[in-house]
Amino acid sequence: MSRAPSDKDATAFKAAMNMYEAKNYKNALVEVDKILKRSPTYGDALCLKALVVYHLDRRDECLQLVLKGTKEAPNSAVAWHMAGIYYKLVKNYPDAFKAYLKSFRLKGDNISVHHDLSMLAIQQRQLGPLDEVRRTMLSGGLTIHLVWINLAVAQYLLREYSLAIATLDLFGKLMDIEAQQEPSGQKAPLAIQIERSEMLLFQNLCFEKKGDYKAALDDLEKNKAQIRDKLAYQEKRAWYLAKLGRKSDAVQAYRDLIKRNPNNASYYANLEAILEITGSKSQRATFYRSLAKKYPTAEVPKLVPLSFLQGDELHAHLKDYVAAKLKRGVPSCFAFVKDVYRTNYDISLKVGDEIAAESDPEDAELQTVRAIFIARHLSYTNRHSEALKVIENAKLPEMAELVLAQAKVLSRQGDFATAALILEKAANREPGDRFLNAKAAKYALKANDVAKSVEIASIFPIAGMHTLDGIKHLTELESVDYLAPLAAAYSRVADHGMALKRAEGVVSVFDTYWKDQYDFHYYGPRRGSVRAYLDLLQWEDSLYCHPRYLQAVEVAVKEYIALATGEDDGVDAETKAKLKTKRANYIKKMESEPPFTPKGFDKPEERDSDPFGREFLDKKAPLDEALRLWQPLEQARPTDIKTWQLAFEIYLAQNKYVLAIQSLKKAKDLGAPSSYLAYAGAKARHQLELDETALEVIRNLQLKMLPAIAPEAVVTMGLVEFVDKYVARERLLWADARHFLGKTDTIVSVLATEIAGDIDQCTQAALQLAKWRLDSTEFNKAVKAKWPRASFLK
Amino acid sequence: MFSIRQATTRDFQEIQQANLANLPENYSLKYLLYHAISWPQGSYVATMTSGGQERIVGYVLTKMEDDNQELPPNSPPSAHITSVSVNRTYRKLGIAGALLKQSLRSMRESYGAELVSLHVRESNKAALHLYKNTLGFEVLEVSAGYYADNEDAYSMKKVLDDSLIDNIPDDQDDLL
């Protein structure tokens, strides 16, 4: 417990504080150092010093000062406030929130603490403190718009919709009074009209959320004149009318919406539901026929019938649909009808074949577009060489859309190398087209030609600049759709440092996405766009569900586990040594070059001091890193089997058997396939048996848990026999199990006979066989027989 | 299924990635979120749903010039098209025109926009044709070296009025 500061210290502290607030940091430092010399445990002064040195760019000292200051003065609202400011500056919002909350609890009347705590509480989704501080803020000034809006937002998030409505009612009255103070006869300025309109629609959303559609509709109609967002008005009104069962009004409302935007598929679906025709094919057919006639340029009414028509009707409609698209020369025609191949394969096959049998048009472009459709049709129905022939006969062989189709067909036959090559050429023919550039970069990744891909992907970000590669820029530009597959490709080619560097790069983009919302807690409500802001919160809440985050974490977890367990990656020592030397030379050369300032910049480019990801390979506890990346998945994807499969692998690598088996139990409860569970059970038992650090009793206890997730035999049968019996259905898992059991004898021949027909599995197996250093001649032969163009075999 | 709908804030990360895969001028998500929250009614997306997965194949981002310090005071409320793109393979379907029409109508209704402006690359003949002939934009001037790679831009404008609202006879033909 700290003593109260002496009068002298308190006065000096106030002076130092004034200097800090006047941004006179140098003098503030002199003053605060004097205090600390006399009283080295004065917590407030320690925290103030942290802020002062922060602004003097001595940032590595700050955290220690803050920690010491708050330890010395745990009951000082001032110390905690300053600690909070520091954490906020470094965007450590979780600790900033805790510090501000402490300060608020110790002394609840500081307006600036209220303001920041209100932002931090929402950033941390701490709704209790959020509501508390926002109610407190009302006492700060009832004429401040933001105070009202923020309180209503807090109440909305707490699902206290009636309270939010009441708050907004009071706020509305305030706005009315303000409007009356405007000179009479004059319309309110546009900005105020817009804010008012947004508030009314936010309040209306509260009625909707309450489930009181009658009140919501009445509210909407009452404010019709003031609502500027006419689309929202129309959409909400139609929805409420439908909910209230006011059939004919709802029908009219949706017809008006279709008139407004005849390409919005949801309007049609809602209208169908209200008309209660969803169950009748003939009524639906009539419905869409008349709408297609009324809106001849709209896609939706022509497209929907493909999803429900059957037999001859579907045949005729599909044929007409495709013919019309081809007549217009639409290259994406196949994408529009692809779903029909899933729902009605036979008819799709027939229609496609009939179209293929028709004669070609004279026009070269139309002929080529037709070739694209036919080729994709043939490839989708597993006639790949015929598909390629059609492409070869197209009149415009260099049309980019044709080349894209060709690359797709080649990929489906495992010829990733040619696919990448022809796309690179197409991109070179049209150097200004980023779409082609992006496709070429992605196909190079599929071909595992990472260096080529990086070269292509760098073209746009570094246009006009001299720099090492463009990936740094792409990371700054948050290009996760490229960076995550890039990380996966590095992992495939056993470039572990780069795989981790790019995967961690993706993770850091997602962390930035999360922090990005902070300023909007202020800006959104201030601007009045509360509905758009609430959408932002909702998006951020599911941020870590994003498939690109998952992809990056899968790569990183795999790499960190391999790093921790010293797994053999199948690359021989000589190759590794060569690469190491090459990279060391590269770094030496880079460091010897003078700093480069790109055109239009005033500072030289910042160099990447670790261009090959050494820092990640040097991590002391790689499995802790894996767990850190996995944790957001536990929050965001708790019902995804994948989440628990990853947890199992991490915990097993840590020899935490109970947690590993509990993760498997979760996977099992979520419906994980039995062959996977048998595989994982075998892996756990195998490792337990080899683990000499585990006590026999404990080991036996843990073994006893296994039959809860895998067949009983997992603890009684020999493991090789067990995996042959229970994992065989999933050949790649089975091969992996055989490999970790050290019984690799039959792997190659079994894979050769059993998976050669499945190109995706072949691609994965080829990588695994190389990694395991198995002689894959027999496998390669079998794959070549089925897929003569396959380019991925080692 | 294909659909054109107003973008919500939830769409903007995917719009960001679509933009990165289509155009040389790119934006941080933070800027795009600023865009989304400042002018929530202005942006539209075209989506394709296949196998239950909805994917953005085209977008238009439209803003008001209310944050443009360079405009003279008391200028009429003006909209500006920040970015528009449709995946190359989805061209020839009139998607860009349909997106723009929806967006301009919303800008007119929600923000009282009286004008809309945009820049287009001099070499982009298809876009120029769309703006001029389909949507009725006029070329104001050529902005020399407007783009980072020094290409010139046409600066275009269009007056917005209530003719944006489609005139389809309101008969009952489409009823069962």
Side-chain angles (χ1 to χ4, degrees):
Chain A
M1 201 67 192
S2 60
R3 287 174 298 114
S6 66
D7 286 353
K8 191 178 171 189
D9 282 350
T11 315
F13 177 78
K14 218 171 253 172
M17 188 63 131
N18 287 339
M19 290 170 193
Y20 166 76
E21 280 171 356
K23 300 196 167 137
N24 188 350
Y25 301 122
K26 279 191 182 147
N27 289 342
L29 182 62
V30 174
E31 196 62 37
V32 81
D33 273 339
K34 268 196 242 161
I35 305 172
L36 287 171
K37 204 166 173 204
R38 285 195 301 272
S39 318
T41 60
Y42 185 6
D44 293 7
L46 285 162
C47 289
L48 178 58
K49 181 170 176 180
L51 293 182
V52 171
V53 297
Y54 180 88
H55 290 288
L56 292 170
D57 275 336
R58 284 160 51 184
R59 297 195 176 166
D60 43 346
E61 298 169 40
C62 299
L63 183 61
Q64 283 313 313
L65 287 164
V66 161
L67 290 173
K68 192 168 175 222
T70 48
K71 198 176 153 217
E72 294 292 348
N75 293 318
S76 162
V78 175
W80 283 111
H81 183 188
M82 288 188 289
I85 292 174
Y86 165 70
Y87 288 126
K88 194 158 68 76
L89 279 169
V90 296
K91 297 192 179 176
N92 176 352
Y93 299 127
D95 284 330
F97 166 71
K98 285 181 209 151
Y100 269 96
L101 189 60
K102 279 217 162 103
S103 181
F104 177 63
R105 293 265 179 265
L106 287 163
K107 191 166 172 293
D109 62 355
N110 184 325
I111 290 172
S112 131
V113 171
H114 296 165
H115 172 82
D116 288 339
L117 179 57
S118 150
M119 306 256 292
L120 289 160
I122 181 72
Q123 177 75 16
Q124 295 307 115
R125 305 295 194 269
Q126 294 283 337
L127 299 183
L130 180 76
D131 182 48
E132 187 184 344
V133 69
R134 288 189 172 179
R135 273 187 287 119
T136 312
M137 287 169 87
L138 276 181
S139 60
L142 295 174
T143 57
I144 302 167
H145 286 193
L146 203 54
V147 165
W148 291 96
I149 302 173
N150 275 340
L151 179 62
V153 167
Q155 291 164 333
Y156 175 93
L157 293 172
L158 283 159
R159 298 168 198 245
E160 296 277 8
Y161 302 117
S162 302
L163 287 177
I165 290 167
T167 303
L168 290 166
D169 268 338
L170 288 168
F171 178 46
K173 289 202 176 99
L174 171 71
M175 294 216 284
D176 285 341
I177 293 166
E178 287 176 353
Q180 279 159 20
Q181 288 163 353
E182 294 281 324
S184 59
Q186 230 169 313
K187 242 180 131 185
L190 198 57
I192 296 192
Q193 288 179 39
I194 293 168
E195 186 190 0
R196 189 69 204 259
S197 166
E198 284 292 321
M199 280 310 121
L200 290 169
L201 285 167
F202 171 37
Q203 190 170 16
N204 190 259
L205 179 66
C206 297
F207 282 110
E208 182 189 350
K209 288 281 174 179
K210 253 177 86 177
D212 189 346
Y213 299 108
K214 175 78 174 60
L217 182 62
D218 291 346
D219 175 72
L220 197 67
E221 296 295 20
K222 186 182 83 195
N223 297 313
K224 182 181 177 184
Q226 289 191 77
I227 293 173
R228 295 199 60 101
D229 183 347
K230 296 299 172 208
L231 179 63
Y233 168 81
Q234 277 184 275
E235 286 187 342
K236 289 294 177 191
R237 183 170 170 272
W239 180 244
Y240 300 152
L241 287 168
K243 282 279 177 190
L244 291 167
R246 286 173 54 181
K247 196 169 157 176
S248 66
D249 289 338
V251 166
Q252 186 59 49
Y254 276 109
R255 288 180 66 243
D256 290 343
L257 278 164
I258 291 174
K259 188 172 156 193
R260 182 181 171 118
N261 178 4
N263 267 314
N264 188 317
S266 76
Y267 299 158
Y268 292 82
N270 285 328
L271 186 49
E272 266 195 64
I274 298 160
L275 290 169
E276 296 173 67
I277 57 170
T278 349
S280 155
K281 276 181 195 117
S282 65
Q283 281 183 310
R284 291 183 83 189
T286 317
F287 172 80
Y288 282 104
R289 209 179 302 125
S290 62
L291 283 163
K293 207 172 133 203
K294 182 157 180 170
Y295 304 106
T297 59
E299 204 54 49
V300 176
K302 288 189 273 244
L303 194 52
V304 178
L306 294 177
S307 67
F308 65 81
L309 289 178
Q310 298 287 337
D312 291 346
E313 278 184 316
L314 176 63
H315 185 281
H317 192 81
L318 181 59
K319 207 165 169 184
D320 288 349
Y321 185 86
V322 172
K325 284 259 178 310
L326 295 182
K327 204 172 150 198
R328 274 179 79 182
V330 175
S332 59
C333 179
F334 188 76
F336 283 82
V337 298
K338 204 164 85 180
D339 274 357
V340 191
Y341 285 75
R342 287 194 204 119
T343 51
N344 260 303
Y345 183 82
D346 292 344
I347 290 176
S348 311
L349 181 68
K350 206 163 155 224
V351 169
D353 283 355
E354 282 170 16
I355 287 170
E358 286 167 8
S359 59
D360 266 340
E362 273 305 304
D363 182 272
E365 190 178 330
L366 291 184
Q367 190 269 352
T368 307
V369 166
R370 212 173 93 83
I372 294 173
F373 175 82
I374 295 168
R376 293 213 52 201
H377 163 73
L378 290 170
S379 176
Y380 212 77
T381 50
N382 286 316
R383 291 167 289 177
H384 304 298
S385 8
E386 287 176 57
L388 284 181
K389 240 175 243 142
V390 170
I391 288 170
E392 278 158 23
N393 291 327
K395 287 186 182 167
L396 300 175
E398 294 197 341
M399 189 203 267
E401 289 80 1
L402 180 81
V403 180
L404 282 162
Q406 192 178 2
K408 216 165 231 166
V409 176
L410 286 167
S411 295
R412 287 175 65 94
Q413 299 178 78
D415 190 356
F416 303 110
T418 313
L421 188 74
I422 59 168
L423 266 180
E424 189 196 350
K425 283 188 186 157
N428 287 340
R429 281 193 293 269
E430 296 180 54
D433 191 310
R434 190 160 194 186
F435 184 78
L436 291 178
N437 170 274
K439 288 279 182 197
K442 282 220 172 148
Y443 271 83
L445 291 182
K446 284 194 194 179
N448 290 337
D449 191 350
V450 190
K452 175 57 86 183
S453 176
V454 166
E455 184 192 316
I456 298 171
S458 299
I459 292 173
F460 278 89
I462 64 171
M465 289 187 194
H466 162 289
T467 188
L468 302 169
D469 75 51
I471 306 307
K472 189 165 160 270
H473 298 270
L474 282 177
T475 310
E476 283 158 14
L477 287 168
E478 307 167 337
S479 181
V480 291
D481 272 6
Y482 177 68
L483 294 170
L486 177 63
Y490 275 123
S491 183
R492 288 197 299 272
V493 300
D495 192 340
H496 311 296
M498 290 309 286
L500 282 170
K501 187 178 169 77
R502 296 305 170 217
E504 289 274 11
V506 172
V507 169
S508 73
V509 170
F510 278 88
D511 291 342
T512 303
Y513 282 165
W514 175 259
K515 288 175 184 175
D516 276 348
Q517 65 182 303
Y518 186 77
D519 292 345
F520 295 105
H521 302 316
Y522 176 74
Y523 181 75
R526 206 194 74 88
R527 178 89 186 181
S529 321
V530 176
R531 291 173 304 148
Y533 165 68
L534 292 172
D535 276 341
L536 169 66
L537 296 185
Q538 202 191 13
W539 179 74
E540 294 278 7
D541 282 342
S542 57
L543 175 64
Y544 290 95
C545 288
H546 200 289
R548 292 303 183 200
Y549 182 77
L550 177 66
Q551 187 178 22
V553 170
E554 281 190 85
V555 169
V557 165
K558 193 170 148 241
E559 290 291 335
Y560 279 131
I561 289 176
L563 197 58
T565 56
E567 186 189 275
D568 177 16
D569 61 5
V571 182
D572 60 80
E574 197 189 338
T575 315
K576 275 185 185 163
K578 263 192 199 153
L579 185 68
K580 209 173 163 186
T581 319
K582 198 175 146 199
R583 291 190 163 177
N585 289 339
Y586 179 92
I587 292 176
K588 226 183 265 167
K589 183 166 167 268
M590 179 187 82
E591 283 169 351
S592 68
E593 277 176 13
F596 174 75
T597 308
K599 208 178 113 190
F601 286 76
D602 45 9
K603 268 202 291 199
E605 261 185 334
E606 209 179 301
R607 267 187 188 139
D608 188 345
S609 57
D610 181 26
F612 302 112
R614 191 71 239 168
E615 113 183 59
F616 302 103
L617 299 178
D618 290 341
K619 292 275 186 200
K620 296 242 160 42
L623 296 174
D624 290 354
E625 308 296 332
L627 210 52
R628 162 180 63 86
L629 301 178
W630 174 79
Q631 265 148 2
L633 293 181
E634 185 185 14
Q635 294 281 320
R637 291 176 167 263
T639 57
D640 183 351
I641 293 168
K642 188 106 234 166
T643 300
W644 300 105
Q645 290 177 325
L646 284 169
F648 167 74
E649 296 292 341
I650 300 171
Y651 288 131
L652 193 66
Q654 290 180 324
N655 293 339
K656 290 181 178 163
Y657 301 104
V658 176
L659 288 171
I661 295 167
Q662 280 170 352
S663 303
L664 281 184
K665 182 73 177 53
K666 289 226 168 86
K668 184 183 181 179
D669 293 346
L670 292 167
S674 62
S675 40
Y676 166 75
L677 294 166
Y679 157 86
K683 195 168 183 175
R685 174 178 148 197
H686 178 65
Q687 193 172 316
L688 261 169
E689 284 174 349
L690 290 179
D691 185 352
E692 285 166 5
T693 62
L695 286 174
E696 175 113 22
V697 229
I698 295 179
R699 197 185 301 170
N700 288 336
L701 272 178
Q702 286 159 341
L703 279 174
K704 272 193 193 144
M705 294 170 72
L706 288 178
I709 49 134
E712 185 74 38
V714 71
V715 285
T716 54
M717 217 183 235
L719 273 182
V720 176
E721 200 190 338
F722 176 79
V723 299
D724 282 355
K725 182 163 181 202
Y726 291 100
V727 191
R729 206 145 28 103
E730 281 291 330
R731 276 305 171 190
L732 291 177
L733 280 182
W734 169 84
D736 194 55
R738 276 290 201 139
H739 174 256
F740 70 65
L741 291 172
K743 290 281 184 289
T744 54
D745 50 336
T746 56
I747 291 179
V748 176
S749 60
V750 169
L751 291 183
T753 45
E754 296 205 9
I755 66 163
D758 183 330
I759 193 73
D760 292 334
Q761 288 206 37
C762 288
T763 321
Q764 292 174 48
L767 285 170
Q768 291 298 82
L769 293 179
K771 191 167 130 186
W772 298 333
R773 300 171 192 265
L774 294 177
D775 176 2
S776 55
T777 320
E778 190 185 348
F779 173 78
N780 291 356
K781 224 174 112 189
V783 176
K784 273 281 175 201
K786 280 260 182 202
W787 308 95
R789 302 197 64 118
S791 70
F792 54 84
L793 298 168
K794 303 275 166 184
Chain B
M1 183 48 55
F2 175 79
S3 194
I4 287 178
R5 57 174 176 80
Q6 194 169 63
T8 79
T9 319
R10 295 188 295 276
D11 292 312
F12 276 68
Q13 193 269 345
E14 202 186 335
I15 291 176
Q16 178 192 36
Q17 300 303 313
N19 164 266
L20 276 161
N22 274 313
L23 294 174
E25 294 78 33
N26 308 126
Y27 313 90
S28 69
L29 183 67
K30 193 159 181 193
Y31 175 74
L32 292 179
L33 293 177
Y34 162 75
H35 205 290
I37 287 178
S38 298
W39 309 282
Q41 285 84 24
S43 299
Y44 279 77
V45 287
T47 68
M48 194 71 184
T49 306
S50 184
Q53 201 64 22
E54 190 188 28
R55 205 162 59 83
I56 291 176
V57 298
Y59 68 82
V60 56
L61 302 177
T62 311
K63 58 178 284 201
M64 289 299 289
E65 296 271 31
D66 54 10
D67 64 343
N68 185 347
Q69 310 292 332
E70 288 167 23
L71 281 188
N74 299 323
S75 308
S78 300
H80 180 78
I81 293 163
T82 305
S83 181
V84 51
S85 98
V86 173
N87 282 3
R88 179 166 175 143
T89 45
Y90 282 83
R91 288 182 195 160
K92 297 241 166 139
L93 287 157
I95 294 176
L99 284 166
L100 281 156
K101 275 189 193 159
Q102 293 301 320
S103 170
L104 296 183
R105 180 169 176 179
S106 283
M107 294 314 277
R108 172 95 184 127
E109 288 173 346
S110 288
Y111 305 103
E114 291 173 21
L115 285 172
V116 55
S117 64
L118 59 83
H119 287 102
V120 58
R121 280 181 183 268
E122 200 193 9
S123 62
N124 194 346
K125 299 290 176 234
L128 198 64
H129 181 268
L130 167 73
Y131 298 136
K132 239 180 167 164
N133 302 44
T134 314
L135 296 165
F137 278 78
E138 284 172 75
V139 176
L140 270 192
E141 57 177 16
V142 177
S143 310
Y146 177 84
Y147 291 99
D149 57 7
N150 274 332
E151 187 173 340
D152 295 350
Y154 288 116
S155 172
M156 303 186 83
K157 263 212 161 81
K158 175 185 162 71
V159 174
L160 297 181
D161 56 40
D162 293 337
S163 69
L164 291 165
I165 296 157
D166 285 327
N167 259 331
I168 293 172
D170 199 14
D171 51 43
Q172 304 286 311
D173 284 0
D174 56 335
L175 285 186
L176 289 173

